[in-house]
């Protein structure tokens, strides 16, 4: 038994892919799967960040539910029957990966690509759905360059920046297929927050990929902002 | 206005209304005032189509915008030609924008000059209106004032409920036995929803959806422009029965007339009743269909991007500002007084083919009398056309119909005798939703209508989840090809339906699937 506050809470037993497994209170299906050695694709989930459930790569089928559920956000309940490898779940996982594979440009900006890892695991070498027009690289700042061609709008950089580091210089602008990770305040920000931001901009995920040019000199805060 | 985080969209409206755009300077100034990061203001401002965010050095849009509706019915009636002709004739001082449904499908094609909606618009009419400078809110029909409403026993039911002569338990029983369901489209039983909310801990809130954006739907506007107090009475009864002190009304920005009426009607209320009334806040949308999704609407009321939340938790448990929230479409509340006054049996006793209750059909397309028609649940579309809509337009033969707006799919005339109600069309890959019926004739193309709806979904997707953000965009491209790759489209439809966060992405494939199923010859599938 664990203690949560003053309450004694029991672990939760549920079934994952036909095997009986146990979740601690607050644990998600994905966390239990990882502990149990069950591989479920996931991209927008990152340990230490609030789970957001936007990429939909980790969809699983829960008995009695009409639509699939994101394993990264859903906490199991006692007796729940979860399948990560049903036809319906596998189809959605693979199609999400295939759609995203079409989204990103061919250039590699980091040594490890989680998207490629999961696509390889499913034998996906190309997307039948075609690609998007890539946003132009932004070199307007003297110290930081942003290239969004690998961005899949997973918002990991945004959550890290806003919720963990509390710099709040990254946002998700526009909507639909035009939705774009943005750093509106880049030029207006002081250099201190910007240099802190660089840490998570270098996250090897498919969030923002950056090319940092250390030879440039930091500039003082600027009035007005580039929209 | 006080400085509150949740009022961000209201502040952005003030800027947009005054300057006809929002500049980088405005965003930085607002950020300073609200002690927020500019990134947070920027991401909210760029989410909503009615805000023109302009970068330094970029041109400011003209002060006057003419919005031309390009949704299904307006397209049937020539919106495409209207847009191109207006663009050619109006010059640079006026911006002509293609916009999604403005909720006036019975007057198609519609152009909105500033805030003035022009029914059955022509280039010369629009030009005249611009020349006259008539850009203010469209003239409203006379609506029933509070005095008139009270002369017809208005607010008696609410007073009886407050006095205890009509018990809360009786009201809940009546609602449940009436079979009244959520009329925004989801159809959740209203009485059960009230009971769920009553069991939640206080403070509870109410959020009312007047973000009627489903293409083809205009019933909420119709009722609020005529009899707003009937809706308000329903709202007050719900607040009294459940124990709610604070109600939020979310009105789409395409309905400035409704916004005005509601503001006036709520003011009237204050002059008649004591100060024991719940607080009522009216919030203005900003051009985003997705905000009609219940959790996206809550995000928008909180002043954020209108992105749907993951469920669980449900909004009845964790809703607006984290509180248990009763969310209703306004028409659901509109019927509460009548049901309590005439009895549950009066409502449930109506209907055809074993169905129960009344439905407000927003009918548009190729019929003689388009408009809102209150008809029994379970009526067929053929009966609706013949008995309520004066038949088909001369020279047009009934060929297909949308039973429930853009998201309900397209059915063929051969299914024209099916009962129209919740739960009756599932087997056909369709649903009634908000009861927006669009009639297509032999001169219209279901394939083109389906493409129109996918462009709409693509334009309106919030962009949060992959299946909807990328799926709608790719589906649109695949549907533009002369021959549809039906297998690939079906795979795409599966992931959109199974894995999207909300109803927009889940229902967006309905028009694809129904066209492949019922009109295969149109897409080269045969």
């Amino acid at each position: 038994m664990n203690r949560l506050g003053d309450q004694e809470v029991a672990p939760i037993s549920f079934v994952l892919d036909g095997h009986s497994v146990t979740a601690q209170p607050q644990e998600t299906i994905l966390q239990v799967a990882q502990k149990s050695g069950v591989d479920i694709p996931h991209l927008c989930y990152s340990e230490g960040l609030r789970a957001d459930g936007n990429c939909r790569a980790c969809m699983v089928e829960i008995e009695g539910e009409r639509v699939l559920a994101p394993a990264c956000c859903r906490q199991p309940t006692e007796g729940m029957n979860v399948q990560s490898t049903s036809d319906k779940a596998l189809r959605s996982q693979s199609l999400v990966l295939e759609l995203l594979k079409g989204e990103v440009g061919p250039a590699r900006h980091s040594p490890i690509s989680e998207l490629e890892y999961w696509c390889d695991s499913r034998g996906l070498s190309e997307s039948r759905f075609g690609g998007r027009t890539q946003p132009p690289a932004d070199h307007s700042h003297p110290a930081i360059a942003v290239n969004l061609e690998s961005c899949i709008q997973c918002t990991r950089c945004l959550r890290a920046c806003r919720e963990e580091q509390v710099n709040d210089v990254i946002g998700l602008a526009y909507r639909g297929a035009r939705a774009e990770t943005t750093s509106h305040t880049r030029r207006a920000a002081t250099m201190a927050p910007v240099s802190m931001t660089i840490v998570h901009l270098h996250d090897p995920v498919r969030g923002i990929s950056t090319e940092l040019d250390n030879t440039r000199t930091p500039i003082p805060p600027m009035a007005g902002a580039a929209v | 206005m006080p400085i509150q985080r949740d009022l961000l969209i209201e502040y952005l409206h003030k800027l947009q209304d005054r300057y006809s755009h929002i500049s980088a300077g405005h965003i930085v100034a607002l950020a300073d005032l609200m002690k927020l990061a500019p990134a947070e203001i920027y991401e909210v401002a760029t989410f909503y189509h009615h805000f023109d965010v302009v970068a330094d050095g970029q041109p400011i849009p003209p002060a006057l915008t003419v919005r031309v509706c390009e949704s299904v019915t307006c397209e049937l009636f020539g919106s495409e030609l209207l847009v191109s002709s207006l663009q050619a004739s109006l010059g640079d001082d006026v911006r002509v924008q293609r916009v999604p449904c403005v909720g006036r499908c019975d007057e198609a094609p519609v152009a909105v000059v500033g805030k003035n909606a022009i029914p059955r618009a022509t280039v010369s009419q629009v030009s005249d209106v611009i020349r006259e400078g008539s850009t203010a809110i469209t003239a409203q029909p006379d609506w029933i004032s509070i005095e008139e409403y009270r002369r017809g026993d208005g607010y008696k039911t609410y007073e009886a409920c407050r006095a205890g002569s009509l018990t809360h338990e009786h009201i809940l029983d009546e609602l449940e036995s009436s079979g009244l369901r959520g009329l925004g489209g989801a159809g959740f039983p209203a009485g059960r929803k009230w009971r769920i909310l009553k069991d939640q801990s206080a403070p509870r809130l109410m959020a009312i959806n007047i973000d009627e954006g489903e293409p083809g739907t205009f019933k909420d506007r119709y009722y609020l422009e005529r009899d707003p107090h009937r809706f308000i009475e329903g709202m007050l009864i719900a607040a009294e029965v459940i124990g709610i002190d604070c109600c939020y009304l979310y009105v789409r920005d395409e309905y400035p007339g409704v916004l005005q009426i509601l503001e006036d009607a709520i003011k009237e209320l204050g002059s008649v009743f004591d100060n024991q009334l719940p607080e009522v806040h009216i919030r203005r949308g900003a051009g985003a269909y997705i905000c009609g999704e219940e959790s996206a609407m809550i995000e928008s009321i909180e002043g954020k991007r209108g992105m749907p939340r993951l469920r669980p938790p449900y909004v009845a448990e964790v809703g607006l500002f984290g509180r248990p929230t009763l969310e209703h479409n306004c028409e659901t509340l509109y019927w509460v007084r009548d049901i309590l006054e005439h009895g549950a049996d009066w409502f449930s006793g109506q209907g055809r083919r074993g169905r129960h209750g009344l439905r407000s059909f927003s009918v548009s397309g190729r019929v003689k009398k388009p408009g809102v028609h209150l008809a029994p649940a379970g009526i067929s579309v053929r009966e609706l056309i013949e008995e309520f809509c004066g038949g088909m337009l001369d020279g047009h033969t009934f060929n297909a119909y949308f039973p429930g707006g853009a998201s309900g799919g397209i059915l063929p005339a051969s299914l024209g005798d099916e009962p129209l109600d919740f739960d009756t069309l599932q087997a056909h890959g369709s649903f009634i939703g908000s009861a927006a019926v669009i009639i297509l004739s032999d001169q219209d193309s279901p394939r083109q209508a389906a493409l129109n709806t996918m462009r709409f979904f693509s334009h309106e997707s919030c962009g949060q989840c992959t299946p909807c953000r990328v799926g709608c965009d790719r589906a649109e491209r695949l549907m533009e090809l002369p021959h549809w790759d039906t297998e690939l489209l079906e795979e795409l439809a599966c992931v959109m339906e199974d894995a999207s966060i909300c109803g927009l992405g889940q229902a967006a494939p309905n028009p694809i699937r129904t066209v492949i199923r019922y009109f295969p010859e149109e897409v080269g599938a045969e």
Side-chain angles (χ1 to χ4, degrees), chain B residues 352 369 376 379-380 382-391:
Chain B
R352 294 184 191 177
K369 282 192 260 171
I379 191 171
S380 74
R382 278 187 206 283
E383 291 166 343
L384 194 60
I385 295 170
E386 292 309 320
E387 295 173 35
F388 289 84
C389 303

Side-chain angles (χ1 to χ4, degrees), chain A residues 54-56 66 68 74 91 95 100 103 128-131 152 162 168 171-176 184-185 225 227, chain B residues 24 37-38 40 42-43 46-47 49 287-288 305 460-462 464-467 469 474 477 491 498-499 501 506:
Chain A
N54 65 56
C55 79
R56 317 304 272 180
R66 182 178 59 89
L68 302 173
R74 183 61 80 83
R91 182 176 61 199
L95 279 159
L100 290 175
E103 287 283 273
R128 294 165 295 165
F129 297 99
I152 58 163
R162 183 171 296 172
D168 212 355
L172 182 64
Y174 299 97
R175 70 162 117 129
H184 168 65
T185 58
V227 180
Chain B
E40 281 191 63
Y42 180 68
E43 66 175 9
T46 55
F47 183 86
H49 289 313
R305 293 164 62 79
E460 296 301 319
S461 166
C462 83
Q464 182 180 197
C465 70
T466 309
R469 181 186 69 243
R474 297 305 187 272
R477 284 199 228 162
E491 279 192 66
D498 296 340
I501 291 174
Q506 290 167 13

Side-chain angles (χ1 to χ4, degrees), chain B residues 280-299:
Chain B
V280 180
H281 301 272
I282 303 181
R283 293 293 169 82
R284 183 175 160 196
Y289 165 70
I290 189 59
C291 292
E293 196 280 341
E294 61 171 8
S295 63
M297 188 183 99
I298 281 174
E299 290 285 302

Side-chain angles (χ1 to χ4, degrees), chain A residues 9-220:
Chain A
V9 272
I12 296 133
S13 295
F14 71 107
V15 177
L16 177 61
D17 295 337
H19 299 285
S20 186
V21 290
T22 305
Q24 296 306 315
Q26 313 296 323
E27 263 187 328
T28 62
I29 293 170
L30 184 65
Q31 287 167 329
V32 176
Q34 287 178 324
K35 277 195 320 198
S36 320
V38 173
D39 257 359
I40 303 175
H42 55 88
L43 295 165
C44 70
Y45 172 77
S46 180
E47 209 182 319
L49 290 182
R50 176 181 57 80
D52 198 48
N54 65 56
C55 79
R56 317 304 272 180
C58 70
M59 302 308 278
V60 293
E61 187 167 359
I62 297 173
E63 194 175 276
E65 296 193 7
R66 182 178 59 89
V67 293
L68 302 173
C72 68
C73 290
R74 183 61 80 83
Q75 293 171 8
T77 54
E78 188 68 32
M80 188 182 259
N81 187 6
V82 181
Q83 291 189 74
S84 74
T85 54
S86 69
D87 290 347
K88 190 170 162 179
L90 285 176
R91 182 176 61 199
S92 271
Q93 293 164 10
S94 293
L95 279 159
V96 162
L97 293 169
E98 186 177 351
L99 285 169
L100 290 175
K101 190 164 179 62
E103 287 283 273
V104 303
R108 295 189 66 158
H109 297 278
S110 68
I112 316 151
S113 162
E114 292 174 32
L115 179 59
E116 274 178 41
Y117 170 82
W118 290 113
C119 285
D120 288 348
S121 78
R122 295 298 165 94
L124 286 167
S125 53
E126 56 186 294
S127 174
R128 294 165 295 165
F129 297 99
R132 66 178 174 205
T133 309
Q134 297 298 349
D138 181 353
H139 296 288
S140 60
H141 193 275
I144 187 169
V146 178
N147 188 334
L148 292 167
E149 69 179 3
S150 296
C151 180
I152 58 163
Q153 277 82 33
C154 71
T155 70
R156 270 160 69 164
C157 62
L158 188 157
R159 281 173 280 150
C161 179
R162 183 171 296 172
E163 298 168 23
E164 301 302 319
Q165 300 191 328
V166 202
N167 288 330
D168 212 355
V169 296
I170 296 180
L172 182 64
Y174 299 97
R175 70 162 117 129
R178 286 185 67 212
E180 185 179 294
T181 306
T182 176
S183 42
H184 168 65
T185 58
R186 211 165 50 250
R187 293 179 61 196
T190 65
M191 284 315 292
V194 168
S195 57
M196 285 163 72
T197 307
I198 287 162
V199 178
H200 58 246
L201 288 177
H202 264 299
D203 197 309
V205 205
R206 319 302 301 200
I208 289 185
S209 304
T210 61
E211 298 146 6
L212 179 65
D213 184 348
N214 283 321
T215 61
R216 300 190 195 181
T217 323
I219 51 159

Side-chain angles (χ1 to χ4, degrees), chain B residues 266-279:
Chain B
I266 300 285
K267 251 182 237 148
E268 286 187 326
L269 198 66
S271 65
V272 171
F273 286 98
D274 52 38
N275 55 10
Q276 299 292 303
L277 291 171
E279 269 179 49

Side-chain angles (χ1 to χ4, degrees), chain B residues 326-501:
Chain B
L326 176 75
E327 184 158 340
H328 264 319
N329 164 261
C330 66
E331 195 205 338
T332 315
L333 292 168
Y334 182 89
W335 291 110
V336 168
R337 173 194 158 186
D338 288 48
I339 287 171
L340 295 176
E341 217 171 80
H342 307 303
D345 295 344
W346 162 78
F347 192 77
S348 67
Q350 318 214 34
R352 294 184 191 177
R353 298 179 179 81
R355 310 302 305 178
H356 301 282
L358 289 168
R359 296 282 173 271
S360 304
F361 291 95
S362 309
V363 188
S364 65
R366 307 296 190 182
V367 291
K368 285 202 173 116
K369 282 192 260 171
V372 174
H373 297 293
L374 184 63
I379 191 171
S380 74
V381 74
R382 278 187 206 283
E383 291 166 343
L384 194 60
I385 295 170
E386 292 309 320
E387 295 173 35
F388 289 84
C389 303
M392 294 291 290
L393 282 176
D394 292 337
H396 289 265
T397 306
F398 174 47
N399 181 47
Y401 67 111
F402 285 86
S407 49
I410 308 173
L411 296 177
S414 59
L415 289 173
D417 298 317
E418 294 297 306
L420 298 178
D421 197 9
F422 295 118
D423 316 320
T424 58
L425 301 174
Q426 259 95 330
H428 306 299
S430 179
F431 57 67
I432 187 182
S434 56
V437 178
I438 305 171
I439 306 294
L440 307 187
S441 78
D442 54 340
Q443 296 172 32
D444 306 315
S445 156
R447 172 205 164 104
Q448 177 57 33
L451 177 59
N452 179 300
T453 63
M454 192 52 71
R455 286 189 175 136
F456 167 77
F457 292 128
S458 214
H459 188 254
E460 296 301 319
S461 166
C462 83
Q464 182 180 197
C465 70
T466 309
C468 181
R469 181 186 69 243
V470 189
C472 289
D473 183 69
R474 297 305 187 272
E476 184 187 333
R477 284 199 228 162
L478 289 167
M479 291 166 79
E480 281 168 348
L481 299 173
H483 292 274
W484 285 12
D485 183 339
T486 53
E487 276 175 34
L488 193 59
L489 276 167
E490 177 53 30
E491 279 192 66
L492 192 53
C494 284
V495 68
M496 290 168 75
E497 181 185 11
D498 296 340
S500 292
I501 291 174

